[in-house]
Amino acid sequence: MQSIGAVLESAPRTHKRDRDVTVPAILAAAEIEFATNGFAAARTESIAARANVVKGLIFHYFKSKEGLYQAVLVRAYEPISEALDRSFDKNLNATDALLTFVERLLGAMREHPLSPIIFVLESIQGGGEQVHKLGMPSLYSRVEVLLKRGIASGEFREMDPRHGAINIIGLCGFYFCAANNISHIPGKSRNPLSKQSLARHTEEVMALVRKGILSSN
C-alpha cells in the first residue's frame, strides 16, 4: 500500500512550514468534499475555498483531483490498517486480538468520522477501483483470518468467517454513514458524533461483537 508520502513524493518541494500547514488543510477540506459528493462530483474549487488556499496549490501538491483523492483514501486507510496490524500480536489470543482491533478501528473512525462515508461512496460510485489501484489489502480478508483463527482454537462459535468479517466492519462503520439520519431520532442527544454518543457507540459495538463471536456467551 502506498503511504501519503509515496503519493506526494513527486510534488515540488516548498518551504517546510508552508507545506506542513497547507497540505493538511487541503486534505481536511478534501475529506469533507469527497464525503459529501464522492469523487466524480467533487470540485477542486470548493476544496480550495474550504482550505483557504488558491486552487493552484492543490495541483502543486497533488498533481490532479485524482491524486488528491488517492491521498485522502490513504490518509483514511492507514490508521485502520495499523490498528489491524497490531491485532496480529502473537501474544494475544484470538478473542483479545479481534476485540483489540475493533476497539482501535472505532478509535480511528472517531478521529476521522468521514472515512467510512468516503469508502462507502468509493465502493458505490467508483466500484472500489481506486482502492484496488492503490493496492490496499482488503480489511475483510484480514479480519477473516482472525475469525478463522478463533474458530480453529474453539474460542469463537462456528460461523462463515467472511460474512462475519463484513458484518463486524459494517457494525463499526455504518453508524458514521447514518449519522445524519440518526440525528433526527428523538433522544437525549441529537448529535450522534458527540463525545458521549461515540463513547456509547463504542461500548455497544464491543458488547455485540463479544457476544456474537464467542463460542459460549
Side-chain angles (χ1 to χ4, degrees):
M1 183 192 74
Q2 296 185 53
S3 66
I4 293 175
V7 173
L8 304 180
E9 67 181 355
S10 61
R13 302 294 177 182
T14 61
H15 194 284
K16 185 175 186 295
R17 184 178 63 185
D18 294 337
R19 182 185 182 87
D20 287 349
V21 171
T22 303
V23 168
I26 293 173
L27 286 170
E31 188 177 63
I32 296 171
E33 180 72 10
F34 290 130
T36 303
N37 298 308
F39 172 70
R43 299 175 65 248
T44 53
E45 293 87 353
S46 297
I47 295 170
R50 190 181 296 275
N52 197 28
V53 301
V54 296
K55 180 180 173 181
L57 280 177
I58 293 176
F59 298 96
H60 174 74
Y61 287 115
F62 300 95
K63 298 300 185 183
S64 64
K65 185 172 83 167
E66 182 182 24
L68 175 57
Y69 183 57
Q70 290 177 345
V72 168
L73 288 173
V74 170
R75 182 175 184 246
Y77 182 86
E78 280 186 336
I80 298 173
S81 181
E82 289 169 5
L84 189 51
D85 288 342
R86 295 192 200 103
S87 72
F88 280 93
D89 185 338
K90 293 181 179 179
N91 294 320
L92 296 176
N93 60 34
T95 302
D96 289 342
L98 182 64
L99 293 177
T100 295
F101 164 66
V102 171
E103 187 171 25
R104 287 173 173 161
L105 172 61
L106 289 164
M109 289 179 174
R110 287 195 303 271
E111 289 293 318
H112 295 281
L114 296 179
S115 296
I117 302 171
I118 291 171
F119 282 116
V120 167
L121 287 177
E122 164 62 14
S123 176
I124 294 171
Q125 298 179 351
E129 288 299 321
Q130 289 292 342
V131 170
H132 177 72
K133 186 174 182 178
L134 288 167
M136 295 178 177
S138 168
L139 290 177
Y140 304 116
S141 296
R142 298 179 71 196
V143 175
E144 184 180 353
V145 171
L146 286 178
L147 293 178
K148 286 180 177 178
R149 178 176 144 201
I151 294 169
S153 69
E155 295 173 63
F156 299 166
R157 65 175 176 81
E158 288 296 325
M159 69 178 85
D160 181 323
R162 173 157 298 183
H163 281 276
I166 293 168
N167 288 327
I168 288 170
I169 294 174
L171 184 64
C172 295
F174 177 77
Y175 179 88
F176 297 90
C177 297
N180 287 335
N181 288 338
I182 295 170
S183 68
H184 296 291
I185 299 174
K188 293 182 180 179
S189 175
R190 299 290 294 255
N191 180 9
L193 299 181
S194 70
K195 185 176 180 180
Q196 181 181 13
S197 295
L198 290 175
R200 178 53 59 87
H201 173 59
T202 297
E203 291 173 7
E204 292 299 329
V205 170
M206 294 294 292
L208 282 168
V209 172
R210 184 181 292 108
K211 288 290 186 179
I213 63 171
L214 296 181
S215 58
S216 58
N217 295 327

